[in-house]
Amino acid sequence: VQLVESGGGLVQPGGSLRLSCAASGSIFSMNVMGWYRQAPGKERELVARITSIGFTNYEDSVKGRFSIARDNAKNTVYLQMNSLKPEDTAVYYCNLHTRDMNYWGKGTLVTVSS
């Protein structure tokens, strides 16, 4: 299984970005796809995740600002990030969890700065 992220970059506070992650390979239909992030000097943390039937959960600090969605036909997960704050600056990693296996993308950098 391979995960390829795209959509990171530099954005001003209050701005928006949309991350995408395309999964390829042998993927079991029942899975959870999600986004994690790791800021400098901090541990990796869950941002949001979505099951194959659409149940979602979010880290408290992003509720109301971020939205996760997926396209099962394309094995792709999206993260729409609005009202971005400097503290959202991090490397964002795509994750796929299935059959007790975890797969990770290489990460995409999101920098929120004026």
Side-chain angles (χ1 to χ4, degrees):
V1 176
Q2 286 189 322
L3 304 174
V4 178
E5 303 108 332
S6 61
L10 173 65
V11 63
Q12 291 187 342
S16 298
L17 280 175
R18 187 192 193 210
L19 305 183
S20 300
C21 171
S24 61
S26 179
I27 301 168
F28 185 55
S29 59
M30 298 296 292
N31 59 68
V32 181
M33 296 189 77
W35 292 93
Y36 290 70
R37 66 186 179 187
Q38 188 166 18
K42 295 188 177 182
E43 294 186 354
R44 191 174 299 189
E45 64 175 1
L46 173 68
V47 177
R49 58 189 172 193
I50 183 168
T51 71
S52 51
I53 57 173
F55 290 114
T56 60
N57 66 293
Y58 296 88
E59 194 269 328
D60 285 346
S61 70
V62 308
K63 287 180 180 177
R65 299 189 297 123
F66 291 11
S67 178
I68 191 169
R70 64 186 289 165
D71 183 335
N72 288 336
K74 297 180 179 180
N75 287 322
T76 299
V77 64
Y78 307 95
L79 185 68
Q80 178 66 43
M81 305 185 294
N82 299 327
S83 302
L84 282 160
K85 304 176 180 180
E87 51 263 44
D88 294 318
T89 295
V91 178
Y92 283 69
Y93 296 91
C94 180
N95 172 268
L96 186 150
H97 178 80
T98 185
R99 290 182 166 179
D100 294 328
M101 295 290 291
N102 266 312
Y103 301 93
W104 295 93
K106 293 183 178 180
T108 184
L109 177 63
V110 172
T111 303
V112 185
S113 175
S114 55

